[in-house]
Every structure is written in C-alpha cells, then in structure tokens.
Amino acid sequence: MTIRDVMNILEGNVLYGEDLLDHPVDTGCGSDLMSDVLAFVKEKTVLITGLINTHVVRTAEMLDITCIVFSRGKQPNEEILEMAEEAGIAVLSTRMTTYTACGELYKHGLPGTKEKTK
C-alpha cells in the first residue's frame, strides 16, 4: 500500500507531502499515546492520531514513520507542518475518527504490528 492509497481510503487531504504519495507503507498504528507508538511501531508505518502537537512529529521522526494522519478533521499548525517537511514525513487529515480510519485501512489490507504486550 502507498500513502496515496491511504489518502484515498481515508478520503483524506494532503497537508504536506504531495511528492511523497507514492512511498510505501507496511503497517498502520492508531494512538494518541506516543509512548505506545514508541513501544510498538516499526518503520514504514502510517500513524493515525487525534493528538496535535510537536511530539507526534518528533516520535514519527525517531521511528521512520512514513505518514501521519490527523483524525477527526484536525488541522496541525504551521510549526508541525514545517517539522514534518524537515523530516520528510507526509501529513494527511481525515474527517474519520481514529478508530474508523484504522478499521478502514485494516479492511483494505494494511496490517498492524505483530508485536503483543506481555
């Protein structure tokens, strides 16, 4: 699956990264807790979140996350978009809730992480 596929499935808007839409994504993650994202996410992941702050981009950058999708129609500020641009991370927005967005991506074949809690 590519970021373009994610955008189409989630009926999303590209906020940054038109030139990144053909990059692949291997897994998906939905979370507002960046500590959970740090614990379970691998590279080439799309992160769906309703959390709008710079910690989301910093976390995504550390983990080589390919794309951030802000759910519920949330719009990040210019600082967040600039950080994403510097890190080369695509940013989308969808009107779907985090739960629905994750379900749609899973239904269309994008798996989550295989890791389980102990």
Side-chain angles (χ1 to χ4, degrees):
M1 185 174 290
T2 65
I3 295 171
R4 184 180 312 279
D5 296 326
V6 170
M7 179 192 69
N8 290 331
I9 291 165
L10 300 183
E11 300 170 4
N13 299 314
V14 179
L15 304 178
Y16 168 74
E18 285 279 345
D19 59 326
L20 303 173
L21 294 179
D22 294 320
H23 286 201
V25 292
D26 294 338
T27 60
C29 173
S31 183
D32 290 344
L33 293 173
M34 292 304 104
S35 58
D36 282 354
V37 175
L38 285 167
F40 295 106
V41 170
K42 306 295 182 216
E43 64 185 23
K44 292 187 184 173
T45 295
V46 56
L47 170 61
I48 301 109
T49 185
L51 183 64
I52 302 245
N53 66 38
T54 58
H55 298 295
V56 173
V57 180
R58 292 201 194 291
T59 301
E61 186 175 20
M62 282 191 288
L63 297 172
D64 291 326
I65 288 175
T66 308
C67 177
I68 300 167
V69 179
F70 291 110
S71 58
R72 300 188 313 275
K74 291 194 173 183
Q75 300 292 314
N77 63 29
E78 208 48 47
E79 179 184 14
I80 291 170
L81 292 175
E82 287 172 7
M83 288 176 66
E85 181 178 2
E86 288 174 16
I89 300 168
V91 179
L92 310 177
S93 180
T94 181
R95 301 213 37 89
M96 294 178 188
T97 66
T98 301
Y99 180 80
T100 300
C102 291
E104 286 296 320
L105 292 175
Y106 188 82
K107 182 170 73 174
H108 284 86
L110 187 67
T113 181
K114 300 289 185 208
E115 303 229 0
K116 296 184 173 132
T117 58
K118 299 197 178 9

